[in-house]
Amino acid sequence: MKRIYILLIVFLIQFANAQQQDLQRANLLFGKTYYSTAIPLYEKISEKNQTVDVIQKLGDCYYFTNNYGKAQEQYALLIQNKNLDEGYYFRYAQTLKARGKYAEANDIMRKFYQASNNDAAIGKLERDIKTLKNITAIGERFDIRNLALNTVNSEFGGVVLGDNLVFAAVKMKPNLFDKTYKWNNESYLNLVAVPLKKLNDSVVITYFSKDLKSSMHESNAIFTKDGKTMYFTRNNSKNGKRGKNIDKISNIQIFRAELVNNKWINVKSLPFNSPDYSVEHPALSPNEKTLYFASDMPGTLGSLDIFSVSVDGLTYGRPVNLGDKINTAKREQFPFVSNDNKLYFSSNGHEGYGALDIFVSDIQDNSYSKASNVGLPVNSGYDDFAYYVDSDTKYGYFSSDRPGGKGKDDIYSFKETKDLLIEDCKQYIAGIITDVDSHLALENAVVILKNGSKQELEKATTTVDGKFSFTVGCESNYSLLATKENYTESSKSFDVSEERNKSNDGSMEIRSMEIIKKEEQVALEKKVAADLLIAQQLKAAELVALEQKKKADAIALQEKKIADANAFKQKKKEDAIALESKRLADIAAVQQFKKDKLIIDKKAAEIALAKKKEKTAAIVAAEKDVVKDKDRLIIKTDPIYFDYNMWYIRKESKRILNRVIELMNKYPEMVVEIGSHTDNRGNAKFNTDLSQKRADATRNYILEQGIPKNRILAKGYGESVPIVKCIPEDSCDEEQHELNRRSEFVIKNL
């Protein structure tokens, strides 16, 4: 036993050490941004050790490799810990947006800001929600198409050079010993090209230039208009060797190359590059005097910002951050400037549909307008980036890792079909003010628009055709008040929905005060004349009525005397008739009472019988043990056995009797007769006595279980009621005798 304990302790120590080693290795890979390599280790660790740190890093690995579904599961666990910074709430919200759960994503951020009393952030969130709703209301602004050149790997960053589309892709046929990028386990990126006329065909992609190809990343090329100079992104390197900083990280830098004799030579790192930060995604202004790029160099507002730098031949100015109209506390990347001087870039910090969205800002006199989301369907809940457009034709390309593509990142072509016109939701309240009587339109009537708090918002004066119109915001309550000098007023209320550009009918009728006064005067004159006529008629009627009353009183007095005499005679006669009628009625009433009682008693008996039948049917239907046997209702049980010539209740019989007791408890009005029967073998009196004793013993057992005496009867029938008549007794076999030996539980009353 001691050896077993020792082996168990050794095993637990080894297991703990192994798990600790896995965690150390996973953390090392995480620190190097080798997220895809770290994921299997963290998944294994999290099965046994779900600490906040493990959940957090596993969620980040999923997030940074764009597996938003699994990232969401980890972040949902993580935010149960309330001591988290805003970044994790933001990432969780982004994973929700990727799955279309916008209301839930907004609610997550709203609750975080409320908990931290950040009113400014709440205000910005609500404004962003409204702005995105306005952008969504435009509808789909683009026709998009997934290009045939895409593969199961990553392709992105397409730009046009002459008759070719140049973009970044992983090695088409990697060798066994080729290095992979541990962030996403793909091989390193190269610049490739494909003819524009072959974009929608099954094409063979070729390397853009073997002069530029290396064992490191090359991506995001941009070219001068003459096609002789290019800028592109590559890992920090010198003379073909990777460069790293003191943290052993090879940051991204921008390189410049020149086309000489159809070869790209003079590949140089730009002077503002540094091994300590990334500089990436070059873009040129239309006059090629300004180079734009993304970087996390000192002076950023967030993780990566968009910068510009002046270009004069081979001389570069000092990089300038484009400021908070473009950059946020989050991530801005992939700038591009169109020929009509619009800056396009990707961001997850501005109002968006989730992950990176593409935004646009107008450039005027070296200043930038507030960035706007370019809308649907270019933007989605996933990374949408590397926007390139010909501002004359409105055709272009962008990249996305959205579901439904062919690989991790795909290149899409697009045609812009609608202008980016961002407006708040509005409706119209318009109508015509008319005269009630003439139904003619009223000019110069005043219509006042009020809000739900009855505050005046705006006034309108009707035109010659009586028309007016207001533009109002959606999802609000409004009311109208129509007035005009020497006219009555009229009002109308509206509950304005969120439907955009709906027209609400505010037409009203008002009435001229002059017509009302004339009608009142005519009515008054008619009333005076009517009152005078009525007074005259009343006076004449009173005189006639007085004379008629005198005559009527004399006649009535004479008639009363005669009537009194006749009434006295009639009363004596009626009293005699009434006395006889009462005597006859009393006799008839007694007879009728007897008849009615018989009918009532019969009806009551019929009702009681019907209820009993109904109750019996219900119990038979509900209880499988209660069955009808001809005109009897019995509780069907298994046979109850007694020892030979004995009558005490055996143990196995009690179980059977308990079912009878259960039913009697369930139906408190049930009365049961225990009928005990024997076969006809032996002495008849002995059989009768034995069956009575067995019936009594059965009854006593049931009484002991709490059933009242008046509900259980016991009768021994002996051999008097056989099922099978056995005459003589040896005419029946043992099985038929056994049928006659029985205890029956007959339900006598319910």
Side-chain angles (χ1 to χ4, degrees):
M1 183 61 76
K2 288 182 179 179
R3 288 179 181 176
I4 292 172
Y5 284 137
I6 292 169
L7 288 172
L8 182 60
I9 291 168
V10 169
F11 172 76
L12 292 173
I13 292 171
Q14 289 177 339
F15 177 77
N17 288 337
Q19 194 172 55
Q20 187 62 32
Q21 289 172 0
D22 285 344
L23 182 58
Q24 289 173 352
R25 183 162 176 259
N27 289 341
L28 181 64
L29 293 170
F30 184 89
K32 290 182 177 181
T33 69
Y34 294 175
Y35 300 121
S36 291
T37 309
I39 283 173
L41 289 171
Y42 281 126
E43 287 177 337
K44 178 181 175 183
I45 294 164
S46 68
E47 291 176 0
K48 304 282 186 183
N49 181 18
Q50 281 200 335
T51 64
V52 171
D53 185 62
V54 169
I55 295 171
Q56 175 180 312
K57 287 178 176 171
L58 180 56
D60 285 347
C61 286
Y62 288 137
Y63 182 84
F64 293 128
T65 54
N66 293 0
N67 190 337
Y68 296 129
K70 288 191 175 181
Q72 181 186 323
E73 294 173 3
Q74 300 303 314
Y75 289 151
L77 295 173
L78 190 63
I79 65 165
Q80 296 175 18
N81 184 327
K82 299 184 184 301
N83 299 319
L84 294 173
D85 60 35
E86 179 183 352
Y88 281 99
Y89 286 89
F90 172 78
R91 286 177 211 160
Y92 182 40
Q94 292 292 297
T95 64
L96 290 168
K97 285 185 176 183
R99 305 183 80 176
K101 300 179 179 180
Y102 293 102
E104 190 176 343
N106 292 331
D107 195 47
I108 287 291
M109 297 309 300
R110 187 182 291 110
K111 287 179 179 178
F112 172 78
Y113 294 140
Q114 288 171 346
S116 54
N117 296 317
N118 192 340
D119 293 338
I122 293 172
K124 181 180 182 302
L125 175 66
E126 301 302 339
R127 289 192 298 274
D128 286 351
I129 292 170
K130 182 178 180 181
T131 299
L132 198 62
K133 184 182 288 188
N134 291 338
I135 292 167
T136 303
I138 300 172
E140 295 197 349
R141 295 187 56 238
F142 306 86
D143 292 331
I144 68 171
R145 185 173 184 178
N146 188 291
L147 296 181
L149 59 84
N150 292 309
T151 69
V152 295
N153 296 314
S154 291
E155 292 82 23
F156 66 90
V159 297
V160 174
L161 176 63
D163 296 330
N164 293 298
L165 184 71
V166 180
F167 57 96
V170 301
K171 191 171 183 180
M172 291 169 283
K173 292 182 179 180
N175 296 320
L176 179 62
F177 299 104
D178 281 349
K179 291 183 177 180
T180 57
Y181 183 37
K182 299 300 178 61
W183 183 300
N184 57 12
N185 275 345
E186 285 190 347
S187 56
Y188 280 74
L189 296 164
N190 295 119
L191 289 172
V192 297
V194 65
L196 291 174
K197 62 183 180 181
K198 297 287 188 179
L199 288 182
N200 295 316
D201 301 330
S202 297
V203 296
V204 176
I205 298 170
T206 60
Y207 287 113
F208 168 68
S209 170
K210 293 185 178 180
D211 304 322
L212 299 177
K213 184 175 173 295
S214 73
S215 61
M216 295 166 285
H217 285 303
E218 282 92 28
S219 67
N220 298 98
I222 194 72
F223 301 90
T224 55
K225 292 176 182 177
D226 61 10
K228 294 181 179 180
T229 302
M230 70 177 289
Y231 296 90
F232 66 97
T233 300
R234 175 187 277 174
N235 288 94
N236 174 18
S237 61
K238 188 173 183 181
N239 299 324
K241 293 184 179 181
R242 184 191 302 271
K244 297 182 180 180
N245 60 19
I246 59 173
D247 296 323
K248 297 184 179 181
I249 294 174
S250 178
N251 279 312
I252 303 299
Q253 298 185 345
I254 296 176
F255 288 76
R256 181 181 185 274
E258 297 176 348
L259 183 65
V260 178
N261 297 326
N262 291 323
K263 287 191 174 184
W264 290 99
I265 62 173
N266 298 328
V267 180
K268 302 290 184 184
S269 173
L270 296 188
F272 48 84
N273 288 327
S274 170
D276 295 325
Y277 50 78
S278 288
V279 180
E280 57 190 35
H281 310 154
L284 282 169
S285 63
N287 63 9
E288 300 179 356
K289 297 292 186 183
T290 304
L291 181 71
Y292 294 85
F293 59 90
S295 178
D296 59 351
M297 65 174 57
T300 60
L301 304 182
S303 62
L304 285 160
D305 281 359
I306 307 297
F307 288 79
S308 68
V309 63
S310 62
V311 180
D312 185 6
L314 296 176
T315 303
Y316 299 88
R318 182 178 61 84
V320 176
N321 189 297
L322 296 194
D324 59 8
K325 288 185 178 179
I326 303 299
N327 296 312
T328 69
K330 300 299 187 297
R331 183 160 55 112
E332 283 70 42
Q333 294 175 278
F334 300 99
F336 169 76
V337 182
S338 60
N339 286 334
D340 57 350
N341 230 27
K342 294 182 185 294
L343 170 65
Y344 294 89
F345 63 96
S346 290
S347 170
N348 64 357
H350 293 285
E351 71 282 351
Y353 295 97
L356 287 176
D357 272 10
I358 298 165
F359 293 82
V360 61
S361 170
D362 289 323
I363 306 173
Q364 293 181 350
D365 300 325
N366 293 323
S367 64
Y368 303 88
S369 67
K370 183 180 181 300
S372 298
N373 191 299
V374 301
L376 301 170
V378 162
N379 285 328
S380 68
Y382 289 76
D383 282 338
D384 307 299
F385 58 99
Y387 189 90
Y388 173 93
V389 66
D390 183 329
S391 55
D392 294 325
T393 65
K394 303 294 186 181
Y395 282 95
Y397 306 92
F398 74 98
S399 304
S400 178
D401 67 342
R402 66 187 62 190
K406 297 176 184 175
K408 295 184 178 177
D409 292 317
D410 281 359
I411 298 176
Y412 293 76
S413 65
F414 69 80
K415 172 69 165 69
E416 186 177 355
T417 58
K418 288 184 183 179
D419 292 334
L420 183 60
L421 183 61
I422 304 172
E423 296 180 312
D424 286 343
C425 178
K426 65 179 182 295
Q427 290 191 13
Y428 306 98
I429 300 177
I432 301 174
I433 304 302
T434 54
D435 184 286
V436 170
D437 299 293
S438 68
H439 305 297
L440 296 175
L442 295 175
E443 184 182 6
N444 294 325
V446 176
V447 184
I448 301 172
L449 174 70
K450 297 182 180 181
N451 61 17
S453 301
K454 303 302 180 184
Q455 296 172 320
E456 183 177 319
L457 300 177
E458 193 176 346
K459 276 185 181 179
T461 302
T462 57
T463 58
V464 67
D465 53 2
K467 292 182 179 179
F468 70 93
S469 179
F470 296 104
T471 301
V472 297
C474 298
E475 299 182 89
S476 297
N477 299 321
Y478 299 95
S479 62
L480 294 181
L481 177 65
T483 65
K484 183 176 171 62
E485 188 175 359
N486 294 323
Y487 273 80
T488 59
E489 294 180 347
S490 184
S491 61
K492 205 169 189 179
S493 297
F494 302 86
D495 292 326
V496 175
S497 66
E498 63 177 355
E499 180 183 348
R500 291 174 181 254
N501 300 317
K502 177 183 176 183
S503 183
N504 300 277
D505 183 16
S507 298
M508 289 178 282
E509 292 182 320
I510 54 179
R511 199 164 192 224
S512 168
M513 296 296 295
E514 183 178 348
I515 289 177
I516 292 173
K517 287 178 181 177
K518 286 180 180 178
E519 289 180 349
E520 289 175 347
Q521 182 63 34
V522 170
L524 180 61
E525 290 173 356
K526 286 182 178 179
K527 184 177 184 301
V528 170
D531 290 346
L532 179 60
L533 178 61
I534 290 169
Q536 291 171 346
Q537 290 173 342
L538 284 174
K539 188 172 183 181
E542 286 175 357
L543 292 174
V544 172
L546 181 61
E547 185 63 27
Q548 288 177 343
K549 185 176 184 303
K550 288 180 180 178
K551 291 180 180 179
D553 288 346
I555 293 169
L557 181 62
Q558 182 61 30
E559 289 177 347
K560 184 177 183 301
K561 289 179 180 178
I562 296 169
D564 287 345
N566 292 334
F568 179 75
K569 293 177 183 177
Q570 184 64 27
K571 186 175 184 308
K572 286 182 71 177
K573 183 178 179 180
E574 289 175 352
D575 287 347
I577 293 170
L579 184 62
E580 180 60 19
S581 296
K582 183 178 182 303
R583 186 182 68 79
L584 295 174
D586 288 344
I587 293 170
V590 170
Q591 292 173 342
Q592 187 62 41
F593 174 78
K594 290 179 180 180
K595 290 179 182 178
D596 291 345
K597 188 173 186 307
L598 287 174
I599 292 169
I600 291 170
D601 290 344
K602 182 179 179 182
K603 188 67 176 177
E606 288 174 353
I607 292 171
L609 180 60
K611 286 184 177 179
K612 183 175 181 180
K613 286 181 179 179
E614 182 180 345
K615 188 173 182 182
T616 298
I619 292 174
V620 169
E623 307 294 344
K624 63 177 183 170
D625 296 334
V626 177
V627 297
K628 293 203 71 174
D629 179 24
K630 297 180 181 178
D631 59 343
R632 300 187 306 165
L633 192 64
I634 66 170
I635 300 173
K636 189 172 181 62
T637 67
D638 291 336
I640 297 175
Y641 296 106
F642 295 86
D643 288 344
Y644 182 72
N645 286 346
M646 298 302 292
W647 52 87
Y648 66 87
I649 302 300
R650 291 167 56 171
K651 184 177 182 180
E652 62 269 26
S653 298
K654 292 180 179 180
R655 176 184 58 80
I656 299 169
L657 292 175
N658 288 341
R659 174 56 182 157
V660 178
I661 294 165
E662 179 185 344
L663 285 170
M664 294 186 73
N665 284 326
K666 185 173 181 179
Y667 301 101
E669 296 179 359
M670 183 185 286
V671 176
V672 176
E673 177 192 271
I674 304 164
S676 183
H677 301 266
T678 67
D679 58 28
N680 65 345
R681 291 180 296 185
N683 182 273
K685 184 177 184 310
F686 176 84
N687 285 338
T688 301
D689 293 342
L690 179 61
S691 64
Q692 185 62 49
K693 289 176 181 178
R694 288 178 175 176
D696 290 338
T698 303
R699 179 175 183 267
N700 290 336
Y701 174 78
I702 293 174
L703 292 175
E704 289 170 1
Q705 310 312 309
I707 300 300
K709 291 180 179 181
N710 61 341
R711 292 184 57 208
I712 187 75
L713 309 174
K715 181 166 181 59
Y717 289 91
E719 61 189 41
S720 63
V721 189
I723 293 175
V724 181
K725 293 185 178 182
C726 298
I727 301 173
E729 66 182 42
D730 58 358
S731 65
C732 291
D733 57 24
E734 185 56 38
E735 184 177 349
Q736 291 172 318
H737 284 301
E738 188 175 12
L739 280 174
N740 289 332
R741 295 196 305 273
R742 67 198 186 278
S743 286
E744 292 180 333
F745 298 91
V746 182
I747 298 174
K748 292 294 188 178
N749 196 2
L750 288 174

